[in-house]
Amino acid sequence: MYISKVEIHSRLYPTCCCYPFNVPALRQTAELTFRRPVAFFVGENGSGKSTLLEAIARRCGIHLWDKPKRHLSHQNPYEAKLVDYVTVMMTETKTTADSGTVRGNGRVVGSLFRAETFRDLADFLDDVALCDPGRLEYHGGQLLNTLSHGQAILSYLSHRYRTQGLFLLDEPEAALSPVSQLRFLELLHRLESNGGVQFVIATHSPILLSYPGAQIFDFDTIPITEVAYEETSHYRIYKQFFTQY
């Protein structure tokens, strides 16, 4: 475990009218406590899952790979400011020579995966690999753009997480078939069994949410509440759909 608690200081927000400070779940939740190495953020679009995930990454000193936003409509001065009102409590563990992991000093080794920017990331990684073929081993041994979108994501995730660290994922299921989602669950299980990793995953997938023993934080409940798998709207909607149709 790398992080044990996230505190949200909503009383200090500079505004209540602009994103992300107008998101109900982020205005009325004081803290989240992490007890398991795999945790999920679940909720409707716009509920704050990805927003909090990004703030956690920034607070932990994890690099955010992203494209610049050039449209005038994206010029929100508050957009990346949630990190200033979030405190991440880290576990107190000494740095080890094997993993190179740093904990308890405000930075951890890890990464943030975003499904929405993966195509551009894959282009960048392939360009680097064409100049330095040895880089291919870090994401499956072949150029990512020679694979389908889903195959490329699964290949990247399977090889990126060979090291220890805190891994934050935003909707990794976006291009994964049900079979590939099950393979991703197998990957999670293997990595958790090996130890030294912690995953926080924002998802809409009832398949991923079924991961045994994971914590599930529901952003549709105000404040954000930890719920059982069967209590999620995703599970109930899919169960109702398959029962009725």
Side-chain angles (χ1 to χ4, degrees):
M1 296 284 289
Y2 292 76
I3 60 175
S4 58
K5 182 183 293 186
V6 172
E7 298 176 346
I8 305 173
H9 309 293
S10 59
R11 289 181 294 179
L12 303 177
Y13 283 175
T15 179
C16 63
C17 301
C18 295
Y19 168 83
F21 302 116
N22 60 354
V23 177
L26 302 179
R27 289 191 57 80
Q28 300 184 49
T29 300
E31 63 183 39
L32 302 179
T33 300
F34 295 87
R35 298 175 288 97
R36 299 286 301 166
V38 177
F40 292 100
F41 290 173
V42 67
E44 277 300 319
N45 296 326
S47 61
K49 307 182 303 299
S50 302
T51 303
L52 184 57
L53 201 68
E54 180 177 314
I56 294 171
R58 293 182 184 276
R59 179 53 65 195
C60 290
I62 291 174
H63 174 71
L64 275 63
W65 192 94
D66 208 351
K67 294 192 306 181
K69 295 179 178 179
R70 295 185 173 89
H71 298 291
L72 291 176
S73 60
H74 291 150
Q75 293 183 359
N76 174 0
Y78 298 109
E79 186 169 7
K81 297 297 184 181
L82 181 63
V83 61
D84 297 332
Y85 304 92
V86 168
T87 299
V88 176
M89 308 298 292
M90 300 185 182
T91 57
E92 294 293 336
T93 302
K94 295 181 179 180
T95 303
T96 65
D98 292 335
S99 68
T101 299
V102 181
R103 312 185 197 179
N105 71 341
R107 295 184 66 87
V108 299
V109 173
S111 66
L112 171 65
F113 170 88
R114 289 192 182 105
E116 66 176 350
T117 60
F118 179 75
R119 278 294 192 192
D120 299 297
L121 176 61
D123 287 342
F124 172 77
L125 293 175
D126 283 353
D127 286 344
V128 172
L130 288 171
C131 300
D132 180 7
R135 294 280 181 175
L136 286 176
E137 67 175 289
Y138 293 105
H139 44 83
Q142 55 188 320
L143 295 174
L144 293 172
N145 282 311
T146 64
L147 305 171
S148 73
H149 191 30
Q151 288 174 322
I153 287 179
L154 195 59
S155 178
Y156 172 80
L157 297 179
S158 298
H159 292 80
R160 173 63 182 87
Y161 300 147
R162 291 182 297 177
T163 60
Q164 297 181 347
L166 170 65
F167 300 116
L168 311 173
L169 297 90
D170 189 9
E171 300 184 12
E173 76 280 4
L176 299 182
S177 70
V179 171
S180 292
Q181 291 182 48
L182 292 175
R183 289 175 180 167
F184 179 68
L185 290 183
E186 293 172 357
L187 172 65
L188 281 182
H189 178 70
R190 183 169 71 251
L191 293 171
E192 182 186 2
S193 299
N194 292 339
V197 295
Q198 183 176 2
F199 288 88
V200 183
I201 304 170
T203 186
H204 292 290
S205 168
I207 294 178
L208 297 192
L209 290 171
S210 70
Y211 185 78
Q215 289 181 267
I216 301 175
F217 294 100
D218 188 350
F219 280 60
D220 288 336
T221 59
I222 308 297
I224 299 168
T225 304
E226 185 176 346
V227 299
Y229 174 55
E230 294 80 3
E231 295 173 336
T232 64
S233 62
H234 297 63
Y235 172 87
R236 289 185 279 105
I237 289 170
Y238 274 76
K239 180 179 180 180
Q240 181 181 12
F241 176 82
F242 285 118
T243 301
Q244 293 183 351
Y245 299 99

